[in-house]
Amino acid sequence: MDGVPRVPEAPDVPDAPEAPRVPEQRRRPDSPPLHFGVLGPVRARRGDEPLATGSPQQRALLAALLLREGRTATAAELIDAMWGEEPPSQALAAVRTYASRLRKTLGPGVLVTESGGYAVRGLGAGSLDLTEAQDLAAEAEKARGAGDLCHARDLLGRALARWDGETLAGVPGPYAQTQRVRLEEWRLQLLETRLDMDLEQGCHAEAVSELTALTAAHPLRERLRELLMLALYRSGRQAEALAVYADTRRLLAEELGVDPRPGLRDLQQRILQADPGLAEPPAPEAEPPATPVRPAQLPASVPDFTGRASFVAELSDILASAEGGVMAVSAVAGIGGVGKTTLAVHVAHGARPAFPDGQLYVDLQGAGPRAAEPVTVLGAFLRALGTADSAIPDSLEERAALYRSVLSGRRVLVLLDNARDAAQIRPLLPGTEGCAALVTSRVRMVDLAGAHLVDLDVMSPDEALALFTKIVGEERVASERKAALDVVAACGFLPLAIRIAASRLATRRTWTVSVLAAKLADERRRLDELQAGDLAVKATFELGYGALDAAQSRAFRLLGLADGPDISLSAAAAVLDMPADDTEDLLESLVDTSLLESAAPGRYRFHDLVRLYARACAERDEQPPAERDAAMSRLLDFYLATAARVYATERPGDRLVDHLAATAHPGLEFADRHAAQDWLYAEANCLLACVHQALGDGRLRKAVDLLWAAKDLAESGTNSRDYGTNAALARDAATAAGDTRAEARARTTLTEAHLAAGRFDQAAEEAEKATALIHDLHDPALDCWVPNHRGVIAVYRNRHSEGAAYLQEAITNFRADQNLAGEASALCNLSRSHLAMGRTDSAVTLARQGIGIYDRLGHTLRGANGRYALGLALAQAGDLDQAADRLAEALEVFRDSRQRLWEGMAIFRIAEVRLAAGNPASAAALAEQSLAVLRGIGGEWRRGNVLTVLGRALDGIGQSGRAQACWREALSIYEELGSPETAEVRALLVPVAAA
């Protein structure tokens, strides 16, 4: 800037005279602070009020001063920054004018004149977005260096969020251009660092979408290509990963005449060799400190833990060996009630200092009829370890791999309680040195490789007496030592039996130990197998059950009849036919006796063995026996009535609820559709367990209707598989019972499950059989929904005229039933049929008719389905902007309603629109998002469709090799399904083959 000629002082430019000077005043202490932005358009605001920053040249002056971060800039430097080597003749006057205007806008004391130049002073921390981003990036670097990836990733995300479009957008001058390039390069470096951490934390599928868009925008940036290759490879897409390398090599040769850098070539070779080191993120070089999410899930250790000294020492030594760099596994086996869980929890608490990164716990319910699924447990563990829901994959194998990756470098203890067998727990083992797993089970896990096995037997007489004494008190036992020995012997020296007996005595101050011993002697004669196997457990529970009053014992028996992992307070009140408040008091009293557990506020569960005992008591003591059936009928009525209210809340005007079986229970009421959806998804497992149980208990029709009312579960992703399984069981049960109506309805629910899963041939088979059953039933619901489903299936199978005929029949029947919501559904489906036949105008009209009905009814969720159909029709009509808007509206509702299937499909359709609009980069990123959302749901046909569009988009951004990989995978899917899309994809591959 020294070479810039001095410009003689001149009066201010005529159109912007400088205002008369006024005395500077200090800003009032309560005046809102100033905040400036350069990471985007240059902007200023005071508090929430935006301030005018003037013309482009005036913004250039402000930007030059802000980027000096408080340092003074001379007039010559500012002239050079704004105009370069050819400043205007009045440049100095212009600078003064711009400075004067800014001073008035910003207020006194901000833009100051000093030593012939200008500076922005007095700004507080966080006043400039660039400074904020720099501070956050520095913090992120420190956190990453310390091994705290979760925090580092969050900090970088916050730093990147400071950008609001192109840096210094619209600001002229050479200085702004230089800074624009510099800051954009820094932003890309931050992005690459954050994406690298994404891959380190196992978020591979999610990263692919973002990297696809970034490589399209920055095709010559090799680091982004390298990250994309790694993300694709770790997502199981090896062919695409290698295709990225081929595309990159070709592009670099054509554009720059160079080869890929060594790091990219090395990665290609490692992928070709299936290098195991690529499958998992690299272990940190140094021991990381505690992570921000440090689970501490161990149940409370009992304060009166007694004995077991040799087992405690043995297990503690095994867990301590994990500090030496191994992954320790210990499995404790024994009969129910022998104290496996108590011992394991006690040892785990003692070992906590050796596992500073946390302790995980799960009750695997292995002794019950519905043992916990490893895939579900892994989801819970990943969430507890800080993994976002959106980053958790669907398949067991992917979750297990991510789980091991997340634990890499951490020292975590995993307590797997009440396991069914070795197969159930293998996916749950950390597999990482420094971690340890402690397992309890009723079976001895000889097939668990590498595990240290411990067989836990009953307590010794001395240990049993010591435990009894701790609970009852030394004074009461000392004078009746023999009677106390009789008590623990009658308990078979089982810890749980001893604990219950001692607790019973401790709460009855008028009893002596001898009185308890006499009572136990009577029970022992009645239960002569007290010391043998599971009968010892039964005898233990008999003690607690015998101490219950009439209301408690009835509740204990009847609640034990219900399947499901737990039971809500509302459901329990229905079983017991009692008000909710009274039910809660009763259940809490059972919790106090240790015969019932409080799973969470408002939810209760039995230990699996206690549930078996409760059912045995119900068989033996519940008189008359019809009361058992009545209790289960009340539970089914509760679920059916409440599910019907959920359905009606989400689908106003849909008359299906009027055609469901009548219930004695009114069901719960909901304030809005979100509350209704929350209930449905929270109760999904219990609801489906009730369906399964009712199918075998003679309540077939209500069970089938409950499935139909809960149809949203078929499309949710989380519960889709269980829903389909129960629908198939319902169909089989109805067929075996010869109940035509129930069979037709069950086949209809199964049709919906098949449609959601993309199994269109199976859906067609069920719908055809349902059609054959309904002619003589005169069931309005079936008359409407069966042809509606057949119409949808025909559209998917490219039988469009046939589909239109079925949908017209459905519309007629819906109208006859005065089911406006159903009519809207059929109209929107008919729109899809007309669209497939090329009747675009009528497709648009039909979809709008359906939306009109939905909107009048206040039908938010199904209105989204209508907008989805309209978006497709508008896209084919060429109105791409309107199509994108309608699909975006649908997507928002689908996400809000947790409809993963339709969320993924809406994203896919928006990708199609972006591709048609000539924006392949955006289309590719969206198609990748769709693949991530649809993992595990929707079926292979839908996946093939998304891959086809993804290939077209990739081809449009020059990634032809990766496009070919997508098309080859889609072709494989279509060929296996025998889909007509096979010819289309083959045609896409022909030019490549010819070339």
Side-chain angles (χ1 to χ4, degrees):
M1 293 187 186
D2 293 338
V4 177
R6 293 183 61 82
V7 180
E9 293 189 7
D12 294 333
V13 290
D15 60 337
E18 186 169 358
R21 293 184 177 273
V22 296
E24 289 193 359
Q25 298 178 358
R26 292 183 178 274
R27 182 170 61 88
R28 295 195 312 271
D30 59 346
S31 178
L34 284 168
H35 191 280
F36 296 93
V38 294
L39 301 180
V42 174
R43 55 207 182 278
R45 71 173 191 270
R46 177 172 284 108
D48 295 329
E49 178 189 357
L51 302 177
T53 52
S55 66
Q57 291 290 357
Q58 186 169 307
R59 292 198 300 274
L61 173 65
L62 178 59
L65 293 172
L66 289 171
L67 288 169
R68 281 166 171 75
E69 300 181 34
R71 298 188 302 277
T72 301
T74 67
E77 288 174 328
L78 292 172
I79 291 171
D80 187 59
M82 295 167 66
W83 289 287
E85 295 181 357
E86 298 182 0
S89 60
Q90 300 294 313
L92 182 58
V95 167
R96 289 174 173 172
T97 298
Y98 298 146
S100 175
R101 291 173 179 171
L102 287 171
R103 187 178 289 114
K104 286 187 291 184
T105 297
L106 302 178
V110 179
L111 198 159
V112 300
T113 303
E114 184 178 86
S115 302
Y118 299 93
V120 172
R121 297 282 171 79
L123 300 183
S127 295
L128 180 64
D129 57 2
L130 174 59
T131 306
E132 289 181 292
Q134 290 169 336
D135 292 344
L136 289 165
E139 279 189 70
E141 187 175 353
K142 291 179 183 178
R144 189 182 191 189
D148 194 346
L149 288 182
C150 289
H151 189 44
R153 187 172 168 226
D154 175 66
L155 289 167
L156 274 185
R158 290 162 56 192
L160 288 164
R162 295 301 184 269
W163 267 267
D164 183 21
E166 181 187 27
T167 301
L168 301 172
V171 176
Y175 180 75
Q177 179 57 26
T178 301
Q179 294 301 312
R180 190 179 295 117
V181 172
R182 177 182 72 85
L183 292 172
E184 174 61 13
E185 173 62 25
W186 183 52
R187 185 184 72 86
L188 288 172
Q189 290 174 359
L190 294 181
L191 260 176
E192 289 170 346
T193 302
R194 199 260 297 154
L195 286 161
D196 191 42
M197 286 191 282
D198 287 350
L199 299 190
E200 285 187 65
Q201 293 190 301
C203 303
H204 314 128
E206 292 73 14
V208 169
S209 175
E210 187 173 2
L211 284 164
T212 296
L214 287 169
T215 53
H218 308 278
L220 298 177
R221 199 170 183 91
E222 292 183 67
R223 178 55 179 159
L224 291 174
R225 299 273 183 150
E226 183 178 347
L227 290 169
L228 177 58
M229 289 174 65
L230 185 58
L232 286 166
Y233 179 74
R234 288 182 176 170
S235 299
R237 298 160 69 176
Q238 179 179 353
E240 283 188 68
L242 293 171
V244 170
Y245 178 81
D247 288 335
T248 305
R249 184 176 62 178
R250 173 182 52 76
L251 182 65
L252 291 173
E254 292 174 354
E255 297 289 332
L256 304 176
V258 299
D259 291 327
R261 61 186 180 85
L264 207 60
R265 295 198 300 270
D266 291 345
L267 179 58
Q268 182 221 20
Q269 290 300 313
R270 293 178 69 190
I271 291 174
L272 286 169
Q273 297 162 7
D275 185 345
L278 292 179
E280 300 286 348
E285 295 180 2
E287 180 75 9
T291 59
V293 179
R294 185 187 300 134
Q297 297 183 343
L298 295 178
S301 182
V302 295
D304 51 20
F305 182 85
T306 302
R308 308 298 200 184
S310 62
F311 290 109
V312 171
E314 180 180 356
L315 290 169
S316 298
D317 289 343
I318 294 298
L319 296 184
S321 69
E323 289 191 71
V326 301
M327 199 282 285
V329 181
S330 292
V332 181
I335 62 171
V338 80
K340 302 181 293 295
T341 297
T342 302
L343 171 64
V345 169
H346 178 80
V347 171
H349 275 284
R352 284 179 64 183
F355 300 94
D357 296 317
Q359 305 84 40
L360 297 168
Y361 171 84
V362 64
D363 179 2
L364 294 170
Q365 305 176 46
R370 300 173 69 87
E373 292 293 337
V375 67
T376 303
V377 176
L378 284 170
F381 277 359
L382 287 168
R383 280 188 285 273
L385 291 165
T387 307
D389 281 347
S390 59
I392 298 175
D394 291 289
S395 71
L396 174 62
E397 293 76 17
E398 288 178 307
R399 286 189 179 189
L402 177 57
Y403 171 64
R404 293 190 295 270
S405 299
V406 171
L407 288 180
S408 179
R410 300 189 189 186
R411 295 186 53 77
V412 174
L413 173 62
V414 184
L415 177 48
L416 305 172
D417 192 21
N418 196 10
R420 178 185 57 206
D421 51 31
Q424 185 189 24
I425 67 167
R426 285 192 188 101
L428 309 179
L429 298 178
T432 306
E433 63 181 20
C435 290
L438 190 55
V439 184
T440 72
S441 177
R442 295 177 68 190
V443 299
R444 196 168 190 266
M445 295 191 176
V446 294
D447 54 342
L448 188 61
H452 177 80
L453 303 182
V454 173
D455 293 321
L456 192 62
D457 202 350
V458 296
M459 299 182 104
S460 70
D462 288 344
E463 289 177 332
L465 183 60
L467 174 60
F468 183 80
T469 302
K470 278 188 177 181
I471 299 171
V472 173
E474 180 67 34
E475 292 182 5
R476 298 179 73 181
V477 173
S479 59
E480 298 184 273
R481 181 178 176 82
K482 184 179 181 304
L485 286 171
D486 290 340
V487 167
V488 297
C491 291
F493 305 110
L494 284 166
L496 185 56
I498 295 167
R499 189 174 297 280
I500 292 175
S503 298
R504 186 183 178 195
L505 180 61
T507 58
R508 290 162 174 79
R509 305 303 299 176
T510 60
W511 284 15
T512 63
V513 180
S514 298
V515 169
L516 176 60
K519 290 181 176 293
L520 289 179
D522 292 338
E523 291 173 350
R524 186 179 181 184
R525 285 194 298 271
R526 181 166 49 89
L527 299 172
D528 54 5
E529 296 186 50
L530 177 66
Q531 302 180 50
D534 284 348
L535 292 179
V537 177
K538 183 177 180 180
T540 298
F541 298 145
E542 189 74 38
L543 298 174
Y545 178 65
L548 301 178
D549 61 29
Q552 289 176 320
S553 60
R554 174 180 178 270
F556 177 75
R557 294 191 301 269
L558 295 183
L559 292 177
L561 295 172
D563 283 343
D566 59 9
I567 191 167
S568 68
L569 176 60
S570 299
V575 170
L576 302 178
D577 196 20
M578 293 174 57
D581 290 344
D582 294 344
T583 301
E584 183 174 22
D585 292 342
L586 188 55
L587 268 55
E588 288 296 330
S589 72
L590 285 173
V591 171
D592 292 339
T593 68
S594 300
L595 290 175
L596 191 66
E597 299 175 14
S598 179
R603 303 199 71 87
Y604 300 87
R605 68 185 174 207
F606 284 105
H607 182 284
D608 46 17
L609 296 177
V610 178
R611 185 198 302 275
L612 294 176
Y613 175 73
R615 290 182 177 178
C617 290
E619 291 289 337
R620 182 189 66 197
D621 299 340
E622 197 60 50
Q623 300 297 332
E627 176 58 15
R628 298 194 300 270
D629 293 334
M632 290 300 92
S633 292
R634 289 193 295 269
L635 179 63
L636 180 58
D637 273 13
F638 164 77
Y639 281 129
L640 175 54
T642 307
R645 283 185 179 268
V646 173
Y647 188 99
T649 302
E650 291 186 336
R651 299 170 176 81
D654 192 326
R655 292 206 63 221
L656 174 64
V657 293
D658 300 322
H659 302 304
L660 299 175
T663 62
H665 197 288
L668 300 178
E669 295 184 2
F670 302 104
D672 52 43
R673 70 182 188 89
H674 293 98
Q677 289 166 354
D678 289 344
W679 180 89
L680 180 64
Y681 292 114
E683 290 289 341
N685 292 330
C686 294
L687 183 151
L688 293 174
C690 183
V691 168
H692 185 275
Q693 190 172 14
L695 292 175
D697 289 349
R699 293 181 289 275
L700 179 60
R701 289 196 174 189
K702 285 186 177 180
V704 171
D705 282 1
L706 174 54
L707 270 179
W708 204 350
K711 62 188 291 185
D712 280 353
L713 298 179
E715 298 177 352
S716 67
T718 305
N719 307 103
S720 301
R721 184 179 301 176
D722 284 347
Y723 184 93
T725 299
N726 277 282
L729 291 172
R731 173 204 59 193
D732 295 343
T735 303
D739 189 330
T740 305
R741 177 181 178 277
E743 181 184 350
R745 289 192 170 206
R747 289 188 184 277
T748 301
T749 64
L750 188 53
T751 298
E752 299 216 18
H754 285 318
L755 277 171
R759 299 186 292 265
F760 304 123
D761 289 342
Q762 293 96 317
E765 180 181 355
E766 294 300 332
E768 288 167 9
K769 291 182 177 178
T771 301
L773 294 169
I774 66 175
H775 293 300
D776 299 325
L777 291 176
H778 306 295
D779 185 329
L782 290 171
D783 291 340
C784 294
W785 287 105
V786 171
N788 191 53
H789 290 155
R790 296 200 71 179
V792 172
I793 294 165
V795 172
Y796 280 126
R797 300 173 88 193
N798 295 311
R799 300 176 180 177
H800 305 304
S801 297
E802 175 187 326
Y806 280 124
L807 291 167
Q808 286 288 3
E809 178 187 351
I811 290 170
T812 299
N813 292 346
F814 278 125
R815 287 172 177 167
D817 191 38
Q818 298 182 338
N819 190 335
L820 288 174
E823 178 186 347
S825 173
L827 285 168
C828 293
N829 291 333
L830 185 59
S831 168
R832 299 282 300 276
S833 179
H834 280 213
L835 193 62
M837 293 188 287
R839 299 167 59 182
T840 307
D841 291 343
S842 62
V844 171
T845 299
L846 288 165
R848 283 180 169 152
Q849 288 175 4
I851 292 172
I853 295 173
Y854 281 138
D855 288 351
R856 288 197 302 274
L857 295 172
H859 222 305
T860 304
L861 176 56
R862 294 308 154 190
N865 288 109
R867 283 166 174 77
Y868 177 91
L870 179 57
L872 299 186
L874 290 170
Q876 189 160 310
D879 192 347
L880 300 182
D881 290 340
Q882 286 291 324
D885 289 345
R886 299 296 80 73
L887 289 168
E889 290 168 358
L891 173 60
E892 183 179 357
V893 175
F894 291 144
R895 278 181 175 156
D896 187 52
S897 302
R898 289 171 282 188
Q899 292 289 302
R900 272 185 54 208
L901 170 62
W902 292 109
E903 177 189 348
M905 290 305 298
I907 295 171
F908 163 59
R909 297 302 187 181
I910 296 173
E912 287 186 312
V913 171
R914 296 281 175 82
L915 186 59
N919 191 346
S922 176
L926 286 164
E928 284 289 355
Q929 288 181 32
S930 177
L931 287 176
V933 173
L934 291 173
R935 274 181 300 168
I937 61 173
E940 286 297 287
W941 179 77
R942 289 187 175 100
R943 176 176 170 79
N945 292 346
V946 180
L947 285 167
T948 302
V949 169
L950 175 58
R952 290 181 183 275
L954 292 170
D955 193 50
I957 58 176
Q959 298 185 20
S960 57
R962 189 174 158 208
Q964 295 167 45
C966 290
W967 289 333
R968 283 193 291 269
E969 185 178 353
L971 180 61
S972 175
I973 291 171
Y974 292 145
E975 286 179 338
E976 185 174 348
L977 296 175
S979 299
E981 290 85 0
T982 300
E984 174 193 348
V985 180
R986 279 182 180 153
L988 291 170
L989 290 166
V990 166
V992 175

